[in-house]
Amino acid sequence: MMEGHEVIVLDNMFTGRKKNVQHWIGHPHFQMIIGDVVNPLYMEVDQIYHLACPASPPHYQYNPIKTIKTSTEGTLNMLGLAKRVKARMLLTSTSEIYGDPEVHPQPETYWGHVNAIGPRACYDEGKRVAETMMYAYKKQEGVDVRVARIFNTFGPRMHPNDGRVVSNFIIQALQGKPMTIYGEGAQTRSFQYVDDLVNGLMKLMNGDYDMPVNLGNPDEYTIKDFATVIHKFTDTNSTIIHMPATEDDPRQRKPDITIAKSKIGWQPQVAVDEGIRKVRRSGSTSRGERRFGVDSLGLRCG
């Protein structure tokens, strides 16, 4: 909108909150519709950012059938809209399509190592078939498509009950509760700040490259080390405790961003520690609930 574009947001508010866009309400170029992508949508647009789908395990496992429908029926509806109005469509896929990877770091050419019937499958497999649909429509119907595979992302206004490691650790630290690590904490993740992700999505949408692109920060942390980082930056008295490991939790996750650098001219600019400082500076609504905000724009992410 700051560039002069008109923006229409469609959200069913399953994980979103109206106050996240409160500052745009009343802007002449902003319109918000409470609705769901599983239902057909009729409007005139030039670009479609298909961000829909809960991205954290507690949310997408709450109603796995609904999660699958969002990635399948929702993607088909958005592709149908793109075809009708000749719009370019960007799908926010996920690093979860790589599953528990046997290749490290993960390039876009890696096909993945995914349990098709495990507790994470409704999200992993839903996003994999969504990518398949994107390229089927590109080949058969000539739809102009883009696919971003998003790795873990964090930032202001993230839901305090998001359930992913960044929000869990920060909320627990601010409330002085034990910081919970599932398993030994040797599993690794890579975390990017939301501003970098948004920049990457816009570069991908407006560029010429139309194959999948990893968007993530290749700086890799063990979960145990990341808990220590959060502990330091929040100046908390929380202890760090270990709980039993969750099923199918990936052992490692790190993006190979060679394609992003060479094809769309993108790489992260915000270091993790600076991102955490930005989250802390973003303000608070009540003790222990800072305005976190996401991966997921619908960030997903993995």
Side-chain angles (χ1 to χ4, degrees):
M1 283 182 286
M2 289 184 288
E3 295 180 352
H5 299 292
E6 295 183 6
V7 176
I8 302 170
V9 174
L10 177 73
D11 199 329
N12 67 0
M13 292 296 155
F14 175 59
T15 60
R17 295 184 291 181
K18 287 184 180 179
K19 65 180 180 180
N20 287 349
V21 295
Q22 190 67 41
H23 53 295
W24 290 115
I25 301 297
H27 192 285
H29 291 164
F30 180 80
Q31 179 184 355
M32 184 164 186
I33 300 172
I34 306 300
D36 200 309
V37 294
V38 300
N39 301 313
L41 188 65
Y42 301 96
M43 59 177 57
E44 296 294 323
V45 294
D46 301 307
Q47 295 181 340
I48 300 169
Y49 288 81
H50 179 30
L51 305 151
C53 196
S56 72
H59 290 153
Y60 66 65
Q61 291 172 11
Y62 174 77
N63 188 340
I65 294 174
K66 172 63 174 173
T67 298
I68 295 168
K69 284 185 174 181
T70 300
S71 290
T72 53
E73 295 177 13
T75 301
L76 282 173
N77 284 332
M78 292 301 101
L79 282 164
L81 174 62
K83 176 186 173 183
R84 287 193 300 272
V85 301
K86 295 180 171 52
R88 177 176 292 180
M89 174 170 160
L90 185 153
L91 168 72
T92 53
S93 187
T94 172
S95 60
E96 289 290 335
I97 67 123
Y98 299 125
D100 188 8
E102 297 175 316
V103 172
H104 194 74
Q106 295 82 56
E108 290 86 349
T109 52
Y110 179 51
W111 290 358
H113 179 227
V114 179
N115 178 0
I117 59 172
R120 305 170 79 99
C122 60
Y123 183 63
D124 301 359
E125 298 295 339
K127 289 294 189 179
R128 287 163 71 97
V129 75
E131 288 195 16
T132 302
M133 292 175 181
M134 293 286 283
Y135 290 103
Y137 265 74
K138 175 181 181 291
K139 181 178 180 180
Q140 183 172 325
E141 304 294 344
V143 176
D144 196 8
V145 302
R146 303 290 186 269
V147 172
R149 292 176 179 167
I150 302 175
F151 285 67
N152 290 72
T153 309
F154 70 99
R157 294 191 291 273
M158 198 169 190
H159 199 292
N161 297 319
D162 176 73
R164 279 169 287 191
V165 63
V166 178
S167 54
N168 280 353
F169 281 167
I170 296 179
I171 287 293
Q172 290 167 345
L174 291 175
Q175 293 180 340
K177 295 180 178 179
M179 297 171 67
T180 307
I181 294 176
Y182 294 92
E184 296 299 315
Q187 64 270 41
T188 68
R189 296 294 185 270
S190 301
F191 304 97
Q192 70 179 329
Y193 189 66
V194 65
D195 287 1
D196 282 331
L197 172 61
V198 171
N199 184 43
L201 291 174
M202 292 176 67
K203 281 180 173 287
L204 179 58
M205 173 66 91
N206 295 303
D208 296 326
Y209 190 73
D210 63 3
M211 296 303 290
V213 176
N214 288 336
L215 294 179
N217 190 330
D219 289 344
E220 185 178 18
Y221 292 81
T222 67
I223 296 300
K224 186 175 182 180
D225 287 345
F226 191 67
T228 303
V229 170
I230 297 296
H231 196 280
K232 170 187 172 183
F233 279 97
T234 54
D235 192 27
T236 181
N237 294 321
S238 296
T239 58
I240 297 175
I241 62 173
H242 293 261
M243 300 290 286
T246 58
E247 185 178 354
D248 289 346
D249 190 26
R251 293 165 295 172
Q252 54 189 2
R253 191 63 63 72
K254 176 182 178 178
D256 181 332
I257 61 170
T258 302
I259 294 294
K261 289 180 179 179
S262 63
K263 299 298 184 181
I264 65 171
W266 176 89
Q267 62 182 342
Q269 301 298 313
V270 181
V272 170
D273 55 354
E274 177 58 23
I276 295 171
R277 290 190 189 98
K278 287 176 178 285
V279 171
R280 289 213 62 187
R281 290 196 298 265
S282 67
S284 61
T285 54
S286 62
R287 175 169 174 77
E289 182 180 337
R290 294 205 175 249
R291 294 182 304 209
F292 305 106
V294 94
D295 105 12
S296 212
L297 304 165
L299 268 133
R300 100 176 122 105
C301 303

